[in-house]
Amino acid sequence: MSVAVSGVAEGPAALAAAGVAGAVGRGMRIAVAESLTGGLLADALVSVPGASAAFSGGIVAYDTALKHTLLGVDAELLAARGPVDAEVARQMARGVRATCATPRQGADSASSPSAARDAEVGLATTGVAGPDPDPQTGQAAGTVWLGVSSSRGERSVGLRLSGERAVIRLATVEAALRELLTELDALHG
């Protein structure tokens, strides 16, 4: 799957490069919380040369319990709705910003780190890659939620994807990278 960016068909590598360049240019850090993508989103970002200037890190919280213990997703929400949910995606994105907080260089000295600061943009992926429905909720393969968190607030984006497991996972990564570009543009403006 590819997507049009500035009128040119681009895949995840080009989208990730644009996201890293956009974050570097704005002095922002990115963190990711992944479930169904299992590290593919982080891999797309760290495959970009110079990604360390913008990418803080990520958490692969594939097991539902880890969404609570590592990312702070509300346990009652997870019990009631399961992991494939708009609010779960938002909370994952918010949680990874804090979990992947990093020291920043102090304004008065380039060599003196200041207190850790949350990543400016948190992205999250949760959903059902298939081929079977989600065992906890029965939701169909291709049901995906992306979470985005920044100083602008939090939002979720629902996707209905089709195809084999690998196609759904790759399409999710591309959609998350497009959301990253959208968020960076909104934060800059």
Side-chain angles (χ1 to χ4, degrees), residues 126-182:
T126 187
V128 187
D132 299 321
D134 178 62
Q136 293 180 40
T137 65
Q139 293 183 73
T143 304
V144 175
W145 287 99
L146 304 175
V148 181
S149 175
S150 74
S151 60
R152 294 181 50 225
E154 287 132 24
R155 61 189 168 87
S156 60
V157 177
L159 306 173
R160 281 293 302 154
L161 304 170
S162 61
E164 296 179 5
R165 182 176 179 84
V167 170
I168 290 170
R169 292 175 73 220
L170 180 60
T172 301
V173 168
E174 289 188 1
L177 291 168
R178 285 192 304 270
E179 292 303 322
L180 171 61
L181 294 173
T182 298

Side-chain angles (χ1 to χ4, degrees), residues 74-142:
D74 183 74
E76 291 179 12
L77 171 68
L78 288 166
R81 297 190 200 166
V84 183
D85 178 78
E87 181 59 25
V88 169
R90 282 190 291 271
Q91 289 186 24
M92 288 174 65
R94 177 190 325 130
V96 81
R97 288 180 63 206
T99 300
C100 291
T102 56
R104 306 300 171 93
Q105 295 302 318
D108 55 355
S109 171
S111 63
S112 168
S114 60
R117 198 169 77 203
D118 290 357
E120 281 79 14
V121 179
L123 299 173
T125 65
T126 187
V128 187
D132 299 321
D134 178 62
Q136 293 180 40
T137 65
Q139 293 183 73

